[in-house]
Amino acid sequence: KEYRNYYLLNLLDGGRQQIFFSFGLWVLVEHYKLGVPLISGVLLAVTTLNMTVGPWIGRQIDQRGVRRILEVANVGYIVALLGYGFADNEAIAVVCYVIYSFIFPLSYIGSSTYLRQIAPPEELAPSLAMGVTMQHVAAIVVPLAAGYVLNFVGYQIPFIIACFFAASTFLVTRRLS
């Protein structure tokens, strides 16, 4: 019960993550017709960016606090997901993909740091494991439902659903101490 905010963060993050990672590249390939060389370049750029900014992310969490970083990350998710879902320009879609992928590690690092701040050491491992389990539950249910919706309404709807998850996560983040 005392870790409910941590578990909510993981459940909501899992839903948002799975929508983006299930349909993000699909949109770049199917809707924008980007080929293997460009997709590979985007993925290499994202990986390089994330490897080089890891220490900076850690310093930001230490300096600004978990709550503030998670709030900013979720606002960034909303902007990137809306841009990704509704921009009808492949350059903007690629930039939104990179932005989302850049801020993606903040959620896991931030929520894990929050748990470390509130949980005694003996409860840390089982609580982290439960958080991952919550993400996996979302990973199974959300893409199936979003994929079903995608077939009938369009690729934009799953990204709106992901925005709902990010907005809900922002509200949960506001409750963190």
Side-chain angles (χ1 to χ4, degrees), residues 48-134:
T48 302
L49 182 64
N50 282 335
M51 286 185 340
T52 58
V53 299
W56 177 81
I57 289 171
R59 285 191 300 275
Q60 295 305 307
I61 290 172
D62 289 343
Q63 291 172 358
R64 302 185 193 300
V66 170
R67 180 177 165 193
R68 179 75 177 137
I69 293 301
L70 288 176
E71 288 171 346
V72 169
N74 281 290
V75 169
Y77 290 138
I78 292 168
V79 170
L81 289 163
L82 286 175
Y84 196 79
F86 291 101
D88 203 23
N89 178 304
E90 72 182 43
I92 293 173
V94 167
V95 167
C96 288
Y97 186 90
V98 170
I99 289 170
Y100 183 97
S101 297
F102 171 72
I103 59 178
F104 165 70
L106 292 174
S107 294
Y108 178 75
I109 295 168
S111 64
S112 298
T113 302
Y114 168 70
L115 183 64
R116 283 182 177 89
Q117 292 171 348
I118 64 168
E122 64 273 5
E123 293 181 18
L124 193 57
S127 298
L128 285 168
M130 183 61 180
V132 171
T133 300
M134 304 283 285

